[in-house]
Amino acid sequence: MAQHFSLADCDVVGFDLDHTLCRYNLPESARLIYDSVAQFLVKEKGYDKELLTVTPEDWDFCCKGLALDLEDGNFVKLADNGTVLRASHGTKMMPPELLAEKYGKKAWKYFMSDAGMASQSGKYYFYDSYFDLSGALLCARVVDSLTKQNNGQKTFDFWKDIVAGIQHNYKMSAFKENCGMYFPEIKRDPGRYLHRCPESVRKWLQQLKNAGKILMLITSSHSDYCRLVCKHILGNDFADLFDIVITNALKPGFFSHLPSQRPFRTLENDEEQEVLPSLDKPGWYSQGNVVHLCELLKRMTGKPEPKVVYFGDSMHSDIFPARHCSNWETVLILEELRGDSDWKPEESEPLEKKGKYEGQKSKPLNSLSKKWGSFFIDSVSGPDHTEGSLVCTWSCKRISTYSTIAIPSIEAIAELPLDYKFTRFSSNNSKTAGYYPQPPLVLSNNETLTTK
């Protein structure tokens, strides 16, 4: 494979929507997602009202890459070989002695090779995106509450209530029916939660279009919410930028399911209509599968193997399946690359409007967690529980394995020429080569990491 990657070489450029094309005001959106499910648990399922009170310090628990064991209520952070680097019971971090006793040096019981490891099962759930992270904090606090109420409860069965809360707030009809908290609040004040795309990004999308690229939007959000978001971040004429829009794509199944399992559907007034036996022309569709999409792309480009690149923020839903199932080029949007050293408030609204949202500042979700440490690396305890060698996390290993490149935001590359040559991760088997504009500091300072 070539050492470099260039957008100029691609025939098709696809995008996820949430946290990819659309960047969210994370402190606000995270709290809204948390509250939407917490309110349901308290009001509909009888959970403790303490769940509704969240302090700025509580958000430090949030760190992408954690896995929740649904039976014992433990969260774990995994090394690249599946061993447990850190763990908590609910929000309570396990000391080194307990960590060693509970997990030892063996791979976590549900760990499998990448291809076989789902993001969720009946036994565990991986927190892989900013949409998920509020749920990690909520589930951890539910475990705390149940443990306290039931004198050290050892096994848990709350996940069905979490799923019910998500379904209540985010089911397909919720936007139209103003069901739950999330959609009514986004409708009421989108500027509080969504960052408008900078002019540089709008111009870049038009530049791609003018260069003859086919532009696609593939999102698991439903059509009505997608339309609201895109109008807010790109303007009322946003649809002119995209040849193909696919909503309710139900990723990662979009990439892995057969056409018969997940056919495309037409839309009328944002509601799903007839099933399509194939995808015959560009347009706006719902559900679907990558097989029928690729057949359309071949016809549109006149090429037997059009070169596709896909931008997304979720390793589980976007990057891994697009690379593993379809062999697309993949660009991971990784806000952790923004770091916390140069963090500054986003210009989501004019300064004169910002005052109404001011309050005690929570830690940005893309900054370092004091409880969990770096998203990218961690130290392995020695025999006497002292800090030992540094290793890559499982999340970090997957980035260099399945991403072509990783960038902090689309804005970070929007002013580069389309023929700019990015260095791929795969070049020289480097763990850091594909990060643009530069690797995270923790990786730059520790290039000779131990592979366990």
Side-chain angles (χ1 to χ4, degrees):
M1 185 178 283
Q3 182 181 355
H4 294 103
F5 161 75
S6 171
L7 286 167
D9 297 333
C10 297
D11 304 299
V12 183
V13 185
F15 301 92
D16 173 46
L17 177 59
D18 299 300
H19 302 287
T20 299
L21 261 184
C22 175
R23 292 192 54 244
Y24 282 72
N25 180 7
L26 291 178
E28 294 289 345
S29 63
R31 183 61 201 254
L32 176 59
I33 293 166
Y34 179 98
D35 286 345
S36 68
V37 181
Q39 290 272 11
F40 177 87
L41 293 181
V42 172
K43 291 181 177 177
E44 304 297 329
K45 299 294 182 180
Y47 282 75
D48 196 309
K49 289 181 181 176
E50 283 185 7
L51 291 177
L52 302 178
T53 304
V54 188
T55 68
E57 293 74 27
D58 289 332
W59 292 102
D60 182 63
F61 184 82
C62 294
C63 177
K64 281 201 311 199
L66 303 182
L68 167 61
D69 186 321
L70 299 176
E71 184 178 25
D72 64 19
N74 290 346
F75 287 80
V76 295
K77 177 184 181 183
L78 300 178
D80 54 8
N81 68 342
T83 54
V84 177
L85 294 166
R86 304 192 192 199
S88 73
H89 182 68
T91 64
K92 309 297 186 291
M93 300 303 294
M94 291 187 190
E97 300 80 9
L98 182 56
L99 184 71
E101 178 188 332
K102 175 82 177 169
Y103 296 107
K105 297 297 181 185
K106 301 191 303 255
W108 185 51
K109 59 185 176 182
Y110 299 124
F111 184 78
M112 296 165 60
S113 65
D114 275 336
M117 187 102 180
S119 176
Q120 62 189 84
S121 74
K123 303 289 187 182
Y124 62 85
Y125 188 90
F126 266 104
Y127 291 92
D128 165 67
S129 70
Y130 287 119
F131 189 83
D132 283 342
L133 273 191
S134 303
L137 177 59
L138 179 58
C139 287
R141 297 188 75 216
V142 165
V143 170
D144 290 349
S145 176
L146 294 175
T147 303
K148 181 180 170 185
Q149 284 175 23
N150 301 320
N151 300 316
Q153 182 173 337
K154 295 288 190 257
T155 58
F156 299 87
D157 190 29
F158 61 84
W159 187 247
K160 64 182 186 302
D161 296 331
I162 298 288
V163 172
I166 294 169
Q167 177 68 8
H168 173 71
N169 280 277
Y170 303 101
K171 62 187 175 185
M172 185 180 275
S173 61
F175 186 95
K176 192 171 188 177
E177 296 170 358
N178 282 322
C179 192
M181 278 184 66
Y182 184 83
F183 290 130
E185 179 59 19
I186 295 280
K187 286 182 188 178
R188 187 186 68 79
D189 194 358
R192 181 171 182 171
Y193 304 99
L194 312 175
H195 295 314
R196 295 184 193 278
C197 280
E199 188 60 31
S200 62
V201 172
R202 285 192 284 265
K203 286 181 178 176
W204 178 76
L205 291 169
Q206 190 60 57
Q207 188 184 1
L208 287 166
K209 186 98 169 164
N210 295 344
K213 311 300 181 191
I214 293 170
L215 266 58
M216 308 185 298
L217 189 60
I218 307 175
T219 174
S220 291
S221 289
H222 297 304
S223 181
D224 42 17
Y225 182 64
C226 172
R227 197 178 299 278
L228 178 148
V229 169
C230 287
K231 279 184 179 178
H232 183 80
I233 67 169
L234 288 169
N236 290 337
D237 59 349
F238 76 90
D240 296 341
L241 290 168
F242 300 101
D243 300 280
I244 300 166
V245 177
I246 301 168
T247 58
N248 194 25
L250 303 169
K251 296 176 292 183
F254 178 85
F255 293 100
S256 60
H257 282 63
L258 296 171
S260 58
Q261 296 171 294
R262 191 72 61 77
F264 279 97
R265 292 174 178 270
T266 59
L267 285 159
E268 190 174 313
N269 298 321
D270 292 321
E271 293 192 0
E272 291 184 348
Q273 304 293 316
E274 62 181 299
V275 169
L276 295 173
S278 63
L279 202 58
D280 296 327
K281 60 184 179 181
W284 191 306
Y285 300 97
S286 190
Q287 296 195 42
N289 60 86
V290 78
V291 174
H292 281 168
L293 172 62
C294 286
E295 288 171 0
L296 174 62
L297 295 177
K298 288 174 187 178
R299 291 195 297 274
M300 291 176 70
T301 60
K303 295 183 177 182
E305 296 293 334
K307 188 166 184 177
V308 183
V309 60
Y310 187 64
F311 289 70
D313 71 297
S314 168
M315 180 56 66
H316 167 66
S317 298
D318 300 316
I319 302 304
F320 173 72
R323 170 60 59 83
H324 182 71
C325 302
S326 303
N327 201 31
W328 289 357
E329 302 278 15
T330 52
V331 179
L332 176 65
I333 304 296
L334 190 65
E335 291 209 26
E336 282 74 12
L337 290 177
R338 299 170 67 85
D340 54 350
S341 57
D342 60 350
W343 178 77
K344 56 184 185 292
E346 299 288 345
E347 294 184 22
S348 53
E349 290 291 347
L351 286 173
E352 62 269 18
K353 291 184 72 176
K354 283 193 173 180
K356 63 181 179 177
Y357 309 138
E358 296 291 338
Q360 190 179 357
K361 284 286 187 289
S362 299
K363 173 191 83 75
L365 266 67
N366 57 7
S367 67
L368 189 71
S369 163
K370 293 187 181 74
K371 285 191 170 183
W372 292 104
S374 169
F375 171 75
F376 300 98
I377 64 171
D378 214 333
S379 59
V380 182
S381 296
D384 55 354
H385 306 307
T386 57
E387 279 198 6
S389 55
L390 289 171
V391 297
C392 276
T393 62
W394 186 60
S395 298
C396 182
K397 178 187 177 185
R398 282 164 67 85
I399 292 170
S400 59
T401 304
Y402 295 108
S403 311
T404 304
I405 61 171
I407 59 177
S409 64
I410 289 175
E411 185 181 359
I413 66 167
E415 295 185 9
L416 296 174
L418 294 186
D419 60 359
Y420 181 89
K421 288 181 165 48
F422 297 93
T423 304
R424 297 171 175 273
F425 275 113
S426 58
S427 58
N428 306 321
N429 292 317
S430 169
K431 291 185 173 69
T432 59
Y435 290 108
Y436 179 89
Q438 65 265 327
L441 281 174
V442 289
L443 290 182
S444 302
N445 296 338
N446 298 280
E447 288 201 32
T448 55
L449 289 169
T450 304
T451 300
K452 295 185 71 184

